[in-house]
C-alpha cells in the first residue's frame, strides 16, 4: 500500500513539474529606446514599443508526419510602433535633417515552426501605415512632455502617409554546440510595400540555453509539450552580428509608389545605404513564468546623409508565461 501511495505521489509530482515547464501562452511587451544606453541622444531609430500575445499549438492536432519532425509551433499576434528622428527632434532648419522623421504603426501575425533538428522557420505578415497617421509625433511629444525633455519642432519633415503590407521570413539553424556554447546560422528576408531587405549572420550563445525549438532565441518559449530541455531555466549571453542588404526602407524613402519628394510637401527623403552592418548583444532569461531579454543594437549608417556614422539603442522585452 505504501509503495502504491509513493508511486502515486511521484506521478503527481512529475505531472506538476511537467505542467510547470509547459506554458502554452505568453503575453508581454518590448520597449526600444536610445536613451536606455545613457548617451543623452535622441536620433534615428529613437523609440519602439510592441505588445505580444503568443500561443503554442498542441502537436496532437498535427498529422503523424509533422509530429515526427516538429518539436514545437508558436503563433504570435503583435501590435507595434516605431519612431524615427533626424539627428535631433529640435533643429534650426531643414538643412540639419540628415534622416527623415517617420512613424510606423502596424499589426502583425507570425507563425513559427520549430523542427526537432533545431531548424526554425518563422513566416509573418504585417499591415499598417507610415506617416502622420502612425502617430509618431503624438507619442514622442507625450514622452517629452511627461519626462521634461526638450521641445520638438521638426516633425514637419516626416514622410507622408502610406499604407503598408509587408512579409517577413526568418530562418535559424544550429551549426555546432558544446556544453555551454553553441553557434547558430540566422537569416531573414523582408518583402513588401515598405521594407525590402535580406540579412545573414551567426549567433553565438554562452551559458545555460535550451534547444532552438524552445528558447528565447527563437521566440519559442511557449510550448504545450515536454521537449526534454537542456535546462529548466535559461540564462545566457549572446552576440549576433549581421550583414544586411537593403533595397527599400519606407521610413527613410516614403511611399514606394510615388515620386520623391512628393510635390507640394516639405518631405525630405533619405538616400539609403544598401549595405548595413548590425551588431546585437544581449542577455536572456527564461524561467517557468517569466521571460526577460535585455539587448543593445549597434548599426552602421542606414541613410547616407546621417551625420553620425553609427547609431545604437537598447531594448527590453518582458513576457509572462501562463497555461
Amino acid at each position: 500500500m505504501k509503495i502504491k501511495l509513493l508511486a502515486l505521489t511521484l506521478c503527481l509530482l512529475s505531472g506538476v513539474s511537467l505542467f510547470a515547464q509547459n506554458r502554452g501562452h505568453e503575453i508581454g511587451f518590448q520597449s526600444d529606446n536610445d536613451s536606455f544606453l545613457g548617451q543623452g541622444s535622441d536620433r534615428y531609430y529613437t523609440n519602439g514599443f510592441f505588445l505580444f500575445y503568443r500561443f503554442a499549438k498542441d502537436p496532437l492536432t498535427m498529422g503523424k508526419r509533422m509530429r515526427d519532425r516538429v518539436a514545437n509551433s508558436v503563433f504570435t499576434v503583435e501590435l507595434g510602433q516605431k519612431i524615427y528622428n533626424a539627428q535631433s527632434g529640435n533643429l534650426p532648419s531643414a538643412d540639419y535633417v540628415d534622416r527623415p522623421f517617420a512613424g510606423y504603426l502596424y499589426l502583425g501575425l507570425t507563425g513559427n515552426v520549430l523542427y526537432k533538428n533545431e531548424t526554425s522557420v518563422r513566416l509573418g505578415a504585417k499591415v499598417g501605415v507610415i506617416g502622420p497617421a502612425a502617430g509618431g509625433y503624438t507619442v514622442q511629444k507625450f514622452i517629452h512632455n511627461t519626462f521634461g525633455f526638450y521641445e520638438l519642432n521638426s516633425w514637419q519633415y516626416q514622410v507622408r502617409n502610406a499604407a503598408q503590407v509587408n512579409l517577413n521570413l526568418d530562418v535559424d539553424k544550429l551549426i555546432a554546440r558544446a556544453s555551454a556554447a553553441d553557434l547558430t546560422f540566422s537569416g531573414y528576408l523582408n518583402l513588401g510595400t515598405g521594407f525590402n531587405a535580406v540579412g545573414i549572420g551567426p549567433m553565438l550563445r554562452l551559458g545555460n540555453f535550451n534547444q532552438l525549438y524552445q528558447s528565447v532565441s527563437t521566440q519559442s518559449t511557449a510550448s504545450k509539450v515536454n521537449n526534454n530541455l537542456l535546462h529548466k531555466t535559461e540564462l545566457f549571453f549572446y552576440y549576433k552580428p549581421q550583414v544586411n542588404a537593403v533595397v527599400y526602407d519606407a521610413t527613410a524613402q516614403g511611399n514606394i509608389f510615388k515620386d520623391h519628394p512628393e510635390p507640394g510637401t516639405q518631405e525630405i527623403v533619405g538616400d539609403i545605404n544598401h549595405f548595413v552592418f548590425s551588431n546585437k548583444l544581449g542577455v536572456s532569461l527564461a524561467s517557468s513564468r517569466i521571460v526577460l531579454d535585455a539587448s543593445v543594437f549597434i548599426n552602421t549608417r542606414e541613410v547616407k546623409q546621417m551625420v553620425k556614422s553609427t547609431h545604437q539603442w537598447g531594448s527590453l522585452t518582458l513576457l509572462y508565461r501562463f497555461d
Side-chain angles (χ1 to χ4, degrees):
M1 183 66 178
K2 289 182 179 181
I3 293 176
K4 291 182 179 180
L5 287 174
L6 178 60
L8 179 61
T9 302
L10 289 174
C11 288
L12 289 173
L13 288 174
S14 175
V16 170
S17 175
L18 178 63
F19 190 67
Q21 290 298 310
N22 302 331
R23 310 289 186 187
H25 301 264
E26 293 177 345
I27 190 168
F29 71 90
Q30 176 182 324
S31 179
D32 298 345
N33 202 289
D34 51 356
S35 67
F36 289 165
L37 303 183
Q39 306 174 104
S41 65
D42 188 23
R43 66 174 70 99
Y44 311 144
Y45 176 49
T46 184
N47 188 75
F49 192 78
F50 315 88
L51 296 174
F52 302 103
Y53 168 58
R54 292 189 179 124
F55 61 95
K57 183 178 180 181
D58 191 334
L60 294 178
T61 62
M62 302 179 185
K64 183 181 184 304
R65 185 176 179 182
M66 286 295 290
R67 287 201 307 270
D68 291 341
R69 300 172 58 203
V70 174
N72 194 12
S73 58
V74 181
F75 294 88
T76 301
V77 181
E78 174 183 355
L79 176 65
Q81 183 194 51
K82 294 183 176 183
I83 300 174
Y84 298 83
N85 272 3
Q87 58 184 297
S88 173
N90 186 302
L91 299 171
S93 69
D95 294 335
Y96 292 83
V97 180
D98 58 339
R99 189 221 192 275
F101 288 72
Y104 171 45
L105 181 68
Y106 67 87
L107 179 67
L109 177 64
T110 300
N112 190 0
V113 180
L114 304 112
Y115 295 90
K116 293 179 180 179
N117 66 358
E118 296 199 55
T119 300
S120 74
V121 180
R122 296 189 298 281
L123 181 62
K126 295 181 176 69
V127 294
V129 64
I130 59 166
Y137 170 66
T138 302
V139 171
Q140 191 173 51
K141 183 179 179 180
F142 171 78
I143 293 172
H144 280 228
N145 290 344
T146 301
F147 295 99
F149 298 155
Y150 65 84
E151 184 176 350
L152 302 170
N153 75 343
S154 303
W155 270 88
Q156 65 269 32
Y157 306 121
Q158 69 176 307
V159 297
R160 304 299 110 186
N161 284 328
Q164 294 292 299
V165 179
N166 295 287
L167 302 175
N168 58 278
L169 173 68
D170 296 84
V171 177
D172 296 285
K173 172 64 179 175
L174 180 67
I175 298 173
R177 173 172 295 144
S179 59
D182 70 4
L183 188 66
T184 299
F185 166 83
S186 295
Y188 75 88
L189 173 66
N190 293 338
L191 293 173
T193 61
F195 307 98
N196 293 280
V198 61
I200 58 172
M203 177 175 63
L204 173 68
R205 300 192 297 177
L206 301 171
N208 291 343
F209 46 77
N210 279 325
Q211 297 93 325
L212 294 181
Y213 47 68
Q214 196 171 334
S215 175
V216 182
S217 300
T218 51
Q219 297 88 56
S220 58
T221 46
S223 178
K224 289 193 173 182
V225 295
N226 179 16
N227 277 317
N228 297 316
L229 300 179
L230 298 174
H231 301 280
K232 290 184 178 180
T233 298
E234 284 191 298
L235 178 59
F236 61 89
F237 165 84
Y238 62 90
Y239 172 52
K240 185 177 181 181
Q242 197 162 57
V243 177
N244 307 277
V246 183
V247 178
Y248 202 88
D249 181 348
T251 66
Q253 297 174 279
N255 190 335
I256 195 171
F257 299 114
K258 292 189 177 181
D259 294 332
H260 302 293
E262 295 178 32
T265 75
Q266 291 181 296
E267 182 178 26
I268 296 177
V269 176
D271 186 8
I272 65 169
N273 280 319
H274 291 290
F275 289 95
V276 176
F277 185 67
S278 63
N279 290 276
K280 182 181 180 182
L281 305 91
V283 178
S284 294
L285 166 71
S287 67
S288 178
R289 288 291 185 183
I290 299 297
V291 177
L292 179 65
D293 180 87
S295 56
V296 174
F297 292 79
I298 304 172
N299 282 15
T300 59
R301 189 183 279 117
E302 296 175 348
V303 174
K304 293 179 181 179
Q305 294 92 328
M306 284 180 173
V307 171
K308 301 294 183 179
S309 60
T310 63
H311 71 289
Q312 47 277 326
W313 66 92
S315 180
L316 178 67
T317 302
L318 177 63
L319 300 170
Y320 176 73
R321 305 175 63 196
F322 59 99
D323 305 312

